[in-house]
Amino acid sequence: SRMLLLGLKGRRQSQSAKPRLPPEEMMMRCAGYLRQNVLRAAVRPMSSTAAQPGKILAATGFPYATPGTEIELKSSKMFCAQCSQHSVDCKKSIGDCRKTPEVANMQDMLVKEVKEMGYYLHHARKQGKTIPDHLNHFTLHGMFTTLTNVNNDPARFKTYISNSLKYLSEAKALCGAVAPPEKVDASVLAMRGKAPDANAACLNELLTYGIKGVCAYADHALVFGKEDPRIYAYLHEALAFLCSPERNDLGKALAMCLKCGEANLWTMELLYNSNTTLGKQEPTQVKVSPVPGKCLLVSGHDLALLDSLLPACKAKGVNVYTHGEMLPAHAYPKIKAYGNLVGHYGGSWNRQAHEFSHFPGPIVMTSNCLTEPGRAYKARVFTAGPVGWPDVAHLGDNLTNVKWDQAIDSALNNAGFTAADTKFGYDGVSGKGQPSPTQPQMVGFGHDAVLGAAPTVLEGIKSGAISRFFLIGGCDGDAASRNYFTDLSENLPPTSVVLTLGCGKFRVSDSARNRLGNVGDTGIPRVLDIGQCNDTYSAVRIALALADVLKCKVSDLPLSIVLSWYEQKAIAVLLTCLHLGLKPIRIGPVLPAFITHDVLQVLVRDFGIIPTGDVAADIKTMTAAKGAS
């Protein structure tokens, strides 16, 4: 088989003294190869030994499937392989996330309609037409709502599809006399079966899931009222690409994936600027124990919705707790100033079925990470934004129409915590996934805070108190193989500094935090939480700034990147890392099932992707390296 080779030449950094560049310009220079240094797209035969295919195949979990192999198109009720916890049933009858065939097929149809709408909007933009806001916004909403664990409500999807058909007609009329797009299959399995090349189909799926991640982050920023026209222009260009014959060109498909990484960088920066309207993160200790009083739990990622919810709860005397990736919210000054965000409850999203039943109040889900509500607490679950589940009350789609009254009334009518409650009622060890934290959590180490302590950090590097930085983050999940990240954190050398982000932070155990402690007598913890998964932007800023101060390339930093992937936001983040040329990157515990063996070989050989392996062996390799490893 044959696959693409991109000639990417890294920009050599001059060793002569130069004035320090602003971080934004440094980032653009780091990213500039996509625009300036993609020399050619050449196809060459794959080497059978270049990428250790045996190890790779073992790491991919379920193999890439095409119709006529183990799956028949006519007998399959659904097909979904967009997240890491896919199972055989996801390819046939029901999702591991409990997504039904009805919802799966409606999601596929919605994605198809958004692709076609994007095709016409791209051509309209090329004609100099102004794209109406509601069509730009629907591009984000339509794709975001199809992410894993966002919306499994068929009634909501009927409305989405009805709107998509209306907006598609509007986009056609706006565009005028343009040739229609190539026929786009709603079914992923059908698309794979018709594709002239499985590797091209693989890259099309990679691009589609990356687009979904970009749309999710852009939608979070939009709730704040923040937008960037470049993002809409790219999304419509990429969606149009997926409707064109060019999608079967391996070089062009990979280049569009890398451009998706660039667009996601813009988007993460936009979301960072949106979130910091609440103030810049500052180091904050967060309680993980109850406070007496009526209570409400909020989960997801959407800080703008939390900023709206907190004063409404305060007016009624309701305390608010964060869950999952809402933990970093405690670090934002405006959020803290309300005074009724009193603590964090539970661990990662995948433990909610066990933990939510013990919470004595309502639960509000603001974005992805909702699993099937159990009978014991389903009546207390409310959704906002793109989130949905059958027979669960929806409070509104955005700040213009969300109403918190039902959720607050539920808080007032439920028991809440009492003075007798000295700890949360759930068993922190039982249930799925990593045990929930039992000791206070430190958050707020975004790039502003870390770079503010740069002199201390640099002195630690020079003195040997800091030997290596480990970025351990991404998305968490149920699989026992994800214990790799816990075992990694618990066995790192005592001179390590660990940067965490996303819900992957919950894999870094209390035991690891206690063992690593602080950097000497500086008071700076050796485990620094950067924030949510979109705060990969801060991680990039930290790496670029350290390289600048140390007068070296990013590849020469004592930095190891170890990411856990679960869903489509993580794909967008990965594409950003590839776009920036950050390597090597270890990824696990399994690799995506929509990646073919040939494409995976290229990612390993040319982009520095390394599947996670044995913990002890990986630590030995990373710590022995002089630069990035």
Side-chain angles (χ1 to χ4, degrees):
S1 60
R2 307 200 310 162
M3 186 53 203
L4 168 74
L5 169 67
L6 279 178
L8 302 178
K9 289 190 175 181
R11 192 184 286 248
R12 292 189 177 182
Q13 180 172 341
S14 171
Q15 297 302 311
S16 59
K18 292 183 177 181
R20 186 176 301 176
L21 295 171
E24 292 80 3
E25 185 173 347
M26 293 168 58
M27 188 175 296
M28 290 307 298
R29 289 194 178 191
C30 183
Y33 78 80
L34 182 63
R35 297 182 300 277
Q36 301 174 19
N37 296 327
V38 176
L39 304 180
R40 60 189 174 90
V43 179
R44 73 178 185 184
M46 292 295 299
S47 166
S48 61
T49 59
Q52 299 178 314
K55 179 179 180 182
I56 291 173
L57 283 176
T60 56
F62 289 94
Y64 185 87
T66 54
T69 54
E70 78 266 33
I71 298 174
E72 293 295 335
L73 183 59
K74 291 183 179 179
S75 63
S76 176
K77 295 180 181 179
M78 63 175 285
F79 180 87
C80 184
Q82 69 174 0
C83 86
S84 74
Q85 289 192 181
H86 58 278
S87 65
V88 173
D89 286 342
C90 298
K91 299 178 179 180
K92 295 180 179 179
S93 57
I94 192 167
D96 188 71
C97 63
R98 312 318 295 167
K99 175 166 61 179
T100 64
E102 178 188 17
V103 168
N105 293 325
M106 285 195 287
Q107 288 184 353
D108 289 345
M109 178 60 68
L110 179 58
V111 170
K112 170 184 177 294
E113 300 298 336
V114 174
K115 285 180 181 178
E116 293 182 356
M117 184 184 78
Y119 171 87
Y120 287 107
L121 294 180
H122 174 60
H123 284 282
R125 186 176 279 103
K126 288 171 64 177
Q127 296 169 5
K129 305 284 182 62
T130 298
I131 309 302
D133 287 345
H134 65 279
L135 298 183
N136 284 329
H137 299 169
F138 187 78
T139 303
L140 307 183
H141 304 327
M143 296 298 279
F144 186 10
T145 198
T146 67
L147 261 71
T148 302
N149 290 340
V150 173
N151 193 339
N152 285 350
D153 186 355
R156 295 268 297 284
F157 276 103
K158 288 177 182 177
T159 301
Y160 276 118
I161 290 174
S162 175
N163 287 337
S164 73
L165 295 172
K166 178 177 66 176
Y167 295 152
L168 175 57
S169 296
E170 187 176 344
K172 288 180 181 179
L174 179 68
C175 192
V178 170
E182 277 204 348
K183 185 179 183 298
V184 178
D185 286 297
S187 165
V188 173
L189 199 58
M191 180 273 291
R192 288 186 183 184
K194 294 179 182 179
D197 186 297
N199 296 320
C202 157
L203 290 173
N204 288 179
E205 287 187 61
L206 180 65
L207 177 58
T208 300
Y209 302 142
I211 289 170
K212 288 186 178 187
V214 173
C215 287
Y217 289 143
D219 190 77
H220 290 321
L222 182 60
V223 179
F224 279 99
K226 304 291 186 180
E227 301 177 77
D228 184 337
R230 296 178 301 169
I231 297 170
Y232 295 125
Y234 167 74
L235 290 172
H236 295 146
E237 177 191 6
L239 293 167
F241 175 84
L242 291 169
C243 298
S244 75
E246 290 185 323
R247 69 179 184 266
N248 295 316
D249 182 296
L250 296 174
K252 291 179 179 178
L254 184 53
M256 190 60 75
C257 287
L258 292 175
K259 195 170 181 180
C260 183
E262 182 181 29
N264 190 57
L265 182 62
W266 305 333
T267 309
M268 291 192 297
E269 181 179 17
L270 178 69
L271 184 51
Y272 165 79
N273 291 332
S274 301
N275 287 340
T276 52
T277 60
L278 304 171
K280 293 181 179 179
Q281 288 192 68
E282 53 191 26
T284 304
Q285 188 177 74
V286 183
K287 292 182 60 173
V288 289
S289 57
V291 173
K294 301 294 184 177
C295 56
L296 180 149
L297 184 65
V298 60
S299 189
H301 304 75
D302 205 313
L303 299 183
L305 289 177
L306 177 62
D307 184 46
S308 168
L309 174 62
L310 281 169
C313 288
K314 184 174 183 178
K316 298 291 185 177
V318 175
N319 291 328
V320 178
Y321 296 79
T322 54
H323 172 264
E325 278 212 62
M326 275 293 187
L327 172 60
H330 291 267
Y332 289 90
K334 184 181 177 185
I335 294 294
K336 291 195 291 185
Y338 289 116
N340 62 324
L341 187 65
V342 297
H344 184 78
Y345 180 92
S348 183
W349 66 270
N350 52 303
R351 290 182 53 79
Q352 65 189 255
H354 171 68
E355 293 173 344
F356 282 3
S357 60
H358 296 279
F359 189 78
I363 302 113
V364 175
M365 304 297 298
T366 66
S367 63
N368 51 307
C369 297
L370 173 63
T371 63
E372 182 176 21
R375 291 181 181 179
Y377 62 89
K378 184 175 182 179
R380 294 185 282 112
V381 175
F382 300 86
T383 63
V387 192
W389 197 276
D391 302 318
V392 168
H394 186 64
L395 303 176
D397 296 328
N398 51 59
L399 290 179
T400 64
N401 59 25
V402 69
K403 304 295 183 186
W404 303 117
D405 298 351
Q406 279 184 270
I408 294 173
D409 288 345
S410 176
L412 297 174
N413 291 327
N414 274 279
F417 291 110
T418 69
D421 297 314
T422 57
K423 63 180 182 178
F424 294 131
Y426 58 76
D427 178 350
V429 177
S430 299
K432 297 180 178 180
Q434 171 70 20
S436 302
T438 57
Q439 64 186 36
Q441 300 292 291
M442 284 295 297
V443 297
F445 293 97
H447 67 268
D448 300 294
V450 173
L451 298 182
T456 303
V457 172
L458 292 175
E459 181 58 35
I461 295 173
K462 292 177 182 178
S463 68
I466 298 174
S467 59
R468 176 164 288 271
F469 296 90
F470 293 84
L471 176 60
I472 302 177
C475 308
D476 196 17
D478 293 344
S481 55
R482 291 181 182 272
N483 290 332
Y484 169 92
F485 300 95
T486 304
D487 296 341
L488 177 68
S489 69
E490 292 181 348
N491 289 279
L492 292 175
T495 51
S496 303
V497 169
V498 178
L499 307 174
T500 65
L501 55 81
C503 54
K505 66 169 60 66
F506 294 105
R507 286 286 168 178
V508 179
S509 66
D510 287 345
S511 173
R513 296 171 189 270
N514 293 335
R515 184 179 68 85
L516 289 171
N518 295 335
V519 179
D521 59 359
T522 65
I524 299 176
R526 289 188 180 272
V527 177
L528 305 174
D529 183 56
I530 297 175
Q532 297 179 330
C533 53
N534 55 277
D535 287 309
T536 302
Y537 174 77
S538 272
V540 170
R541 291 283 298 266
I542 291 169
L544 292 174
L546 285 175
D548 179 49
V549 172
L550 293 171
K551 295 181 173 58
C552 68
K553 295 181 290 187
V554 173
S555 59
D556 294 328
L557 289 174
L559 171 67
S560 297
I561 303 174
V562 191
L563 300 179
S564 56
W565 93 279
Y566 184 86
E567 40 82 296
Q568 299 77 60
K569 285 181 175 179
I571 296 300
V573 169
L574 173 62
L575 293 177
T576 296
C577 292
L578 300 184
H579 158 68
L580 290 171
L582 300 178
K583 62 180 180 180
I585 302 173
R586 283 177 167 77
I587 296 180
V590 297
L591 299 179
F594 54 82
I595 298 293
T596 61
H597 183 251
D598 285 349
V599 171
L600 188 54
Q601 279 190 310
V602 169
L603 293 177
V604 170
R605 184 192 65 205
D606 298 334
F607 291 91
I609 297 299
I610 303 174
T612 55
D614 175 74
V615 171
D618 285 354
I619 290 177
K620 183 177 180 180
T621 299
M622 289 186 282
T623 55
K626 292 184 178 180
S629 173

